[in-house]
C-alpha cells in the first residue's frame, strides 16, 4: 500500500497557452507513465504517434500526460494510441482541458464559466464527486486543500470510503463477467447475482464487505507519523515552511502555507516547521526558487517522522559545499536541537537535491548531521528501526488495525511459508513470522531491506529471509524453485500503480500458493490486478476468487482510501449459492438444493 503524500496535490499544467490554443489537448493516461521521465515519454509517444505532436506535458508524479495535437489530427491520434500497450498497461486517451492563465486572485475563467456548485445540505457525495469538485477549485484554503472531507462528520467520511471500495469490488466483478462474455466463454460463478446473494455481498459484488475500519477517535488529529513540508514563499511573499497551497501561474513555483490548521499534522511537527521557518528567514542562504529554464537558492523541503515521542528530520537543500556547508549544518542544528527550541529531535539528515523536481535522485547525497541514524517505532508488540528513506505506514494507530485484519485473513499457520511482496521494512512479515514456518520478504529499496534484516534481529526473529530488488525480477524464479509441497500464502502491498503483470502471472501460476491478502492504497489499480488474478483461463483450472473485502481509513479527512481483499483458489472456496434458503413453497431438501 503506497503512502499518499502529506502535501497538497499539484493542479494540472499551465503555460504555453498560445500553442495550446492552436492545438487540441488530449489527456493520455497509462499506469506505466508514472515510471517514465517526461522526456522519455515524449520520445516514445513521438515514435508511436502517426501524427506530429505539438507538445507533451507530464510531471514526474503523474500517470498521465497532456498531449497537444492539431485539431485535424485529433481523431487519428486517438485511434492509434487509445488501447495501445505501453510496457505492461494499456493507454487511454480522453479529451483534455486546455487551460488559460488564472487571473490574479480569482478562479480561472473556464472554471468560473463552469459554475462550481456546492453540494446541497445533507447530500453525501462520493469521493470522486469531491475530487472532481476540487479540480475546479483553484484557490482554496490550506485546510480544505489538504483535508477535503473535513466538513463531513467522521462517520460520514467512513461511509464514503465504504462506498468507494464497494465500487471497486463491483467494478472487477462486472469486468470479469464482461470480458468472459466478450471471449465467448461462460463468466465464472462468482460473478453471478445468486453467488453474491448467497455470500451476503452487496448487489453486484462478488464478495461481502466488512464494516469499514476507521482511525480511532483519539487519533483523528495529528495522526500522521510522517509528513513532508515545503520551504518557500507564502501568498504575501514571506518565507514559510508548510504545505503547498498552489502552483504559481508559470507552472513551476509553489505558494506555501503554514500547516498550523492542518488536522493530520502532529503538534511536534507544527513546532518543527516554525523552527525551520524562522531559521530559513534569518539564514544567509536564500530559499530555493525555480522557473522555466532557471533555478536558484537553497532551502527546499523538510521530511519529518514522529514515533510518538521522538522526531527524525531530513532537510533537503540544493548542494552547498566546503565552509558554506558547515555554516548551513550549524544553522540547521541550532534551529532544531538547542534547548530553548525543546523539540524531541533525535536524528537530523541533510539531503542535497539539484533537480527541478522535489523528488531527489535515488543516489542523492544524504548525510546524517546529528544524532542517531534511525527512529524506533512500536507496532503490535514489535520494535522497528527506520531510516529516512524507507516506507513505513504513515498512521501508526490505524496501521495496527490494518495489519491485524490482514493477518487474520492470511492465517499464517505453522506449516505455511508467507511471502511478503513489497515488504518495506518488513513490518507485515515480521508480525506474521511468529505464527508461520518462514517469511520471505521482497522489497525494492535496499535501505528498507537492511532495516527488515535489522528489525528481525532486534525482535529476535529467525525464520525470515529478505530479498532486495524488483518483485517482477525476483518472484518468478523464487516461486518456480519453491518446494512443490510447501504450503504458501502471500501478502502483497504494492505502491499506487499496483503489481507488475509478471508478478501477477507468477502468483497465479504457483500451485503451492493458496491464499493472497491484497493490501491496496489504490482501489483503481487493485481492480485491474484482481481481474488478472481471477479471470478464468484455458491453461489454468484454478484461478483465484475474491472472498472478502474491507475499507481501511488510514487518512481521515482526505480522499485516500485503503482496502484489503482476500483471494483464495477457486478449488478451495465453497459455493455460497448452496446456502441460499429455498424460496417459500419450494419443494426439496438441502441435499437437492446442493445438487
Ligand atoms: C505500500 S509500501 C508497503 C510496505 C510494507 N508492506 C508496509 O506495510 O510497510 C510499498 C513498498 O513497495 C516497494 N516497491 C515499489 N515497487 C516495488 C517493486 N517493483 N518490487 C518490490 N518492491 C517495490 C516500495 O519501496 C515500498 O516499500
Amino acid at each position: 500500500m503506497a503512502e499518499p503524500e502529506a502535501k497538497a496535490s499539484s493542479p494540472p499544467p499551465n503555460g504555453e497557452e498560445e500553442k495550446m490554443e492552436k492545438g487540441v489537448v488530449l489527456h493520455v493516461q497509462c499506469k506505466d507513465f508514472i515510471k517514465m521521465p517526461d522526456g522519455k515519454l515524449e520520445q516514445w509517444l513521438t515514435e508511436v504517434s502517426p501524427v506530429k505532436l505539438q507538445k507533451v506535458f507530464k510531471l514526474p508524479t503523474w500517470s498521465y500526460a497532456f498531449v497537444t495535437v492539431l485539431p485535424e489530427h485529433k481523431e487519428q491520434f486517438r485511434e492509434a494510441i487509445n488501447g495501445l500497450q505501453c510496457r505492461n498497461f494499456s493507454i487511454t486517451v480522453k479529451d483534455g482541458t486546455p487551460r488559460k492563465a488564472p487571473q490574479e486572485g480569482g478562479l480561472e475563467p473556464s472554471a468560473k464559466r463552469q459554475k462550481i456548485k456546492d453540494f446541497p445540505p445533507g447530500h453525501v457525495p462520493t469521493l470522486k464527486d469531491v475530487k472532481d469538485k476540487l479540480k475546479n477549485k483553484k484557490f482554496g484554503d490550506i485546510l480544505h486543500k489538504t483535508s477535503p472531507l473535513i466538513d463531513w462528520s467522521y462517520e460520514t467520511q467512513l461511509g464514503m470510503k465504504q462506498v468507494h471500495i464497494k465500487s471497486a469490488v463491483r467494478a472487477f466483478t462486472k469486468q470479469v463477467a464482461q470480458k468472459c462474455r466478450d471471449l465467448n466463454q461462460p463468466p465464472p460463478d462468482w460473478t453471478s447475482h445468486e453467488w453474491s446473494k448467497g455470500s451476503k455481498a452487496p448487489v453486484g459484488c462478488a464478495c461481502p464487505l466488512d464494516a469499514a475500519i476507521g482511525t480511532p477517535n483519539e487519533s483523528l488529529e495529528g495522526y500522521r507519523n510522517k509528513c513532508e513540508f515545503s520551504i518557500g514563499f507564502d501568498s504575501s511573499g514571506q518565507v514559510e515552511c508548510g504545505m503547498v497551497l498552489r502552483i504559481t501561474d508559470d507552472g513551476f513555483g509553489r505558494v506555501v502555507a503554514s500547516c498550523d490548521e492542518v488536522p493530520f499534522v502532529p503538534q511536534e511537527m507544527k513546532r518543527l516547521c516554525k523552527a525551520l521557518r524562522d531559521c530559513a528567514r534569518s539564514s544567509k542562504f536564500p530559499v530555493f526558487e525555480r522557473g522555466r529554464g532557471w533555478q536558484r537558492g537553497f532551502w527546499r523541503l523538510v521530511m519529518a517522522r514522529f514515533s510518538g515521542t521522538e522526531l527524525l528530520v531530513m532537510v533537503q537543500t540544493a548542494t552547498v559545499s566546503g565552509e558554506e556547508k558547515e555554516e548551513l549544518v550549524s544553522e540547521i542544528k541550532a534551529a532544531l536541537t538547542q534547548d530553548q527550541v525543546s523539540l524531541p529531535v533525535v536524528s537530523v539528515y541533510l539531503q542535497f537535491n539539484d533537480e527541478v523536481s522535489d523528488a531527489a535522485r535515488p543516489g542523492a547525497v544524504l548525510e546524517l548531521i546529528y544524532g542517531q541514524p534511525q527512529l524506533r517505532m512500536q507496532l503490535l508488540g514489535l520494535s522497528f528501526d527506520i531510516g529516512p528513506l524507507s516506507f513505513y505506514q504513515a498512521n501508526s494507530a490505524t496501521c495496527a488495525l490494518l495489519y491485524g485484519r490482514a493477518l487474520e485473513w492470511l492465517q499464517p499457520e505453522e506449516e505455511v511459508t508467507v511471502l511478503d511482496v513489497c515488504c518495506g521494512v518488513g513490518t507485515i512479515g515480521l508480525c506474521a513470522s511468529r505464527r508461520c514456518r518462514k517469511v520471505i520478504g521482497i522489497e525494492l529499496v535496499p535501505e528498507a531491506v537492511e532495516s527488515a534484516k535489522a528489525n528481525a534481529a532486534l525482535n529476535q526473529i529467525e525464520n525470515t529471509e529478505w530479498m532486495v530488488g524488483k518483485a517482477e525480477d525476483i518472484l518468478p524464479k523464487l516461486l518456480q524453485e519453491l518446494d512443490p509441497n510447501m504450503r504458501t500464502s502471500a501478502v502483497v502491498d504494492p505502491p499506487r500503480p499496483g503489481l507488475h503483470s509478471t508478478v501477477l502471472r507468477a502468483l497465479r501460476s504457483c500451485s503451492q500458493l493458496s491464499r493472497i491478502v491484497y493490501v491496496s492504497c489504490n482501489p483503481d489499480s487493485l481492480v485491474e490486478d484482481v481481474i488478472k488474478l481471477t479471470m478464468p483461463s484455458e491453461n489454468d483450472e484454478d484461478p483465484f476468487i475474491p472472498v472478502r473485502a474491507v475499507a481501511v481509513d488510514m487518512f481521515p479527512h482526505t480522499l485516500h482510501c485503503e482496502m484489503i481483499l482476500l483471494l483464495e483458489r477457486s478449488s478451495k472456496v465453497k459455493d455460497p449459492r448452496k446456502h441460499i434458503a429455498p424460496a417459500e413453497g419450494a419443494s426439496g431438501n438441502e441435499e437437492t438444493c446442493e445438487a
Side-chain angles (χ1 to χ4, degrees):
M1 187 178 44
E3 172 197 359
E5 292 295 304
K7 53 188 176 187
S9 56
S10 318
N14 183 348
E16 294 205 32
E17 286 78 22
E18 248 184 39
K19 274 190 198 167
M20 283 184 156
E21 271 173 12
K22 282 181 201 155
V24 286
V25 182
L26 292 158
H27 180 274
V28 183
Q29 182 159 33
C30 174
K31 273 214 266 186
D32 265 331
F33 285 179
I34 205 156
K35 301 174 200 149
M36 286 172 107
D38 51 352
K40 190 130 191 255
L41 175 64
E42 180 165 1
Q43 191 187 348
W44 184 79
L45 277 173
T46 308
E47 277 166 25
V48 293
S49 167
V51 298
K52 188 170 174 341
L53 308 182
Q54 292 195 300
K55 184 177 172 191
V56 176
F57 186 97
K58 176 187 167 298
L59 289 182
T61 51
W62 290 359
S63 62
Y64 55 89
F66 288 93
V67 176
T68 311
V69 294
L70 289 173
E72 59 271 32
H73 289 158
K74 178 178 154 185
E75 286 315 315
Q76 209 182 338
F77 177 83
R78 191 199 293 270
E79 221 162 83
I81 307 298
N82 197 26
L84 192 73
Q85 288 282 121
C86 169
R87 297 181 186 171
N88 298 299
F89 297 102
S90 59
I91 300 177
T92 52
V93 180
K94 292 187 286 188
D95 285 344
T97 341
R99 293 164 57 88
K100 303 268 185 207
Q103 286 168 354
E104 198 46 47
L107 292 164
E108 290 175 87
S110 57
K112 260 190 184 162
R113 276 199 303 275
Q114 224 171 320
K115 195 171 171 216
I116 299 164
K117 260 172 69 182
D118 276 324
F119 300 112
H123 169 74
V124 179
T126 63
L127 294 184
K128 191 174 172 302
D129 290 341
V130 181
K131 204 175 195 171
D132 288 347
K133 188 183 157 203
L134 276 177
K135 273 190 203 152
N136 293 330
K137 206 169 187 172
K138 188 131 195 266
F139 299 103
D141 54 80
I142 197 68
L143 173 63
H144 289 88
K145 182 101 184 175
T146 56
S147 313
L149 302 185
I150 193 76
D151 295 334
W152 283 277
S153 72
Y154 189 54
E155 205 187 344
T156 307
Q157 291 183 28
L158 272 185
M160 289 155 108
K161 296 192 176 180
Q162 179 81 338
V163 167
H164 192 63
I165 73 141
K166 196 195 293 176
S167 309
V169 175
R170 274 201 186 121
F172 64 67
T173 308
K174 192 171 162 192
Q175 286 185 45
V176 166
Q178 187 56 48
K179 275 177 195 281
C180 288
R181 281 193 288 272
D182 292 347
L183 294 167
N184 279 330
Q185 62 188 48
D189 294 338
W190 57 267
T191 59
S192 72
H193 174 62
E194 291 72 26
W195 184 286
S196 67
K197 200 170 159 206
S199 27
K200 299 199 169 55
V203 175
C205 291
C207 63
L209 312 182
D210 288 8
I213 299 175
T215 289
N217 279 344
E218 63 279 11
S219 303
L220 285 175
E221 296 270 315
Y223 60 78
R224 281 199 71 111
N225 60 37
K226 180 194 172 196
C227 289
E228 264 185 32
F229 305 102
S230 290
I231 304 180
F233 296 97
D234 68 12
S235 43
S236 65
Q238 282 261 68
V239 170
E240 185 54 271
C241 176
M243 303 268 175
V244 175
L245 179 63
R246 64 182 170 90
I247 304 293
T248 53
D249 299 349
D250 62 4
F252 286 93
R254 282 115 170 91
V255 175
V256 175
S258 154
C259 59
D260 271 354
E261 294 209 348
V262 178
F264 52 71
V265 179
Q267 291 303 329
E268 289 74 5
M269 290 200 199
K270 291 180 180 173
R271 291 199 289 117
L272 172 83
C273 283
K274 283 208 174 71
L276 282 167
R277 175 200 68 191
D278 293 346
C279 172
R281 280 184 184 172
S282 60
S283 168
K284 71 171 257 189
F285 299 95
V287 165
F288 182 81
E289 292 174 87
R290 67 200 117 191
R292 187 174 294 280
W294 63 268
Q295 59 191 61
R296 62 177 175 234
F298 297 91
W299 295 100
R300 297 190 67 155
L301 270 187
V302 180
M303 187 283 292
R305 288 188 188 274
F306 184 50
S307 66
T309 51
E310 296 180 333
L311 279 164
L312 174 149
V313 183
M314 184 182 85
V315 179
Q316 191 197 73
T317 67
T319 301
V320 184
S321 47
E323 277 179 21
E324 292 216 303
K325 181 180 159 196
E326 278 169 36
E327 283 178 65
L328 177 73
V329 167
S330 54
E331 279 188 14
I332 297 172
K333 284 209 263 191
L336 298 183
T337 63
Q338 273 176 4
D339 283 351
Q340 66 268 32
V341 184
S342 74
L343 282 166
V345 174
V346 294
S347 172
V348 183
Y349 280 86
L350 178 61
Q351 184 183 50
F352 290 145
N353 177 16
D354 297 315
E355 303 296 311
V356 177
S357 154
D358 286 332
R361 284 171 187 250
V365 174
L366 179 68
E367 193 184 327
L368 178 68
I369 58 169
Y370 172 83
Q372 62 201 44
Q374 288 176 316
L375 187 69
R376 182 156 297 180
M377 310 288 286
Q378 305 291 338
L379 181 66
L380 292 177
L382 299 180
S383 303
F384 293 91
D385 283 343
I386 52 167
L389 301 183
S390 302
F391 179 91
Y392 188 85
Q393 301 290 352
N395 176 342
S396 304
T398 316
C399 173
L401 303 177
L402 183 149
Y403 283 7
R405 185 64 57 89
L407 294 180
E408 188 189 310
W409 288 358
L410 190 69
Q411 296 174 32
E413 293 160 8
E414 251 174 50
E415 296 308 311
V416 173
T417 293
V418 169
L419 302 170
D420 185 356
V421 181
C422 299
C423 65
V425 294
T427 37
I428 304 184
L430 288 168
C431 290
S433 63
R434 293 213 165 115
R435 297 196 244 155
C436 66
R437 181 183 165 276
K438 184 182 178 181
V439 169
I440 304 177
I442 302 168
E443 163 61 44
L444 179 67
V445 175
E447 181 201 281
V449 173
E450 286 314 308
S451 292
K453 288 179 187 164
N455 288 328
L458 180 69
N459 295 287
Q460 286 115 41
I461 293 172
E462 287 170 357
N463 57 339
T464 59
E465 184 183 339
W466 307 98
M467 302 174 89
V468 63
K470 291 183 180 171
E472 51 272 33
D473 295 339
I474 294 174
L475 205 64
K477 189 160 178 278
L478 177 78
L479 295 186
Q480 264 166 23
E481 289 172 359
L482 214 59
D483 177 341
N485 300 315
M486 179 83 72
R487 284 179 55 208
T488 310
S489 297
V491 55
V492 299
D493 186 2
R496 287 190 72 74
L499 289 168
H500 195 280
S501 52
T502 311
V503 173
L504 294 164
R505 266 199 304 278
L507 293 172
R508 195 178 154 137
S509 57
C510 172
S511 58
Q512 299 93 319
L513 181 67
S514 57
R515 178 174 296 139
I516 299 177
V517 174
Y518 194 135
V519 180
S520 166
C521 61
N522 182 1
D524 292 336
S525 62
L526 171 135
V527 168
E528 289 189 40
D529 290 355
V530 171
I531 293 172
K532 292 188 183 123
L533 288 167
T534 57
M535 264 297 284
S537 114
E538 281 172 8
N539 320 330
D540 119 47
E541 293 304 310
D542 203 6
F544 286 95
I545 290 188
V547 173
R548 221 173 173 87
V550 65
V552 184
D553 186 24
M554 295 276 266
F555 302 102
H557 320 309
T558 76
L559 297 171
H560 296 289
C561 178
E562 324 282 314
M563 73 182 277
I564 317 176
L565 178 74
L566 170 64
L567 297 132
E568 299 208 57
R569 289 287 181 189
S570 60
S571 58
K572 300 258 164 68
V573 180
K574 284 195 188 129
D575 187 339
R577 293 170 300 182
K578 293 176 182 164
H579 306 295
I580 301 179
E584 218 170 290
S587 62
N589 55 26
E590 220 187 324
E591 239 164 288
T592 47
C593 286
E594 280 187 2

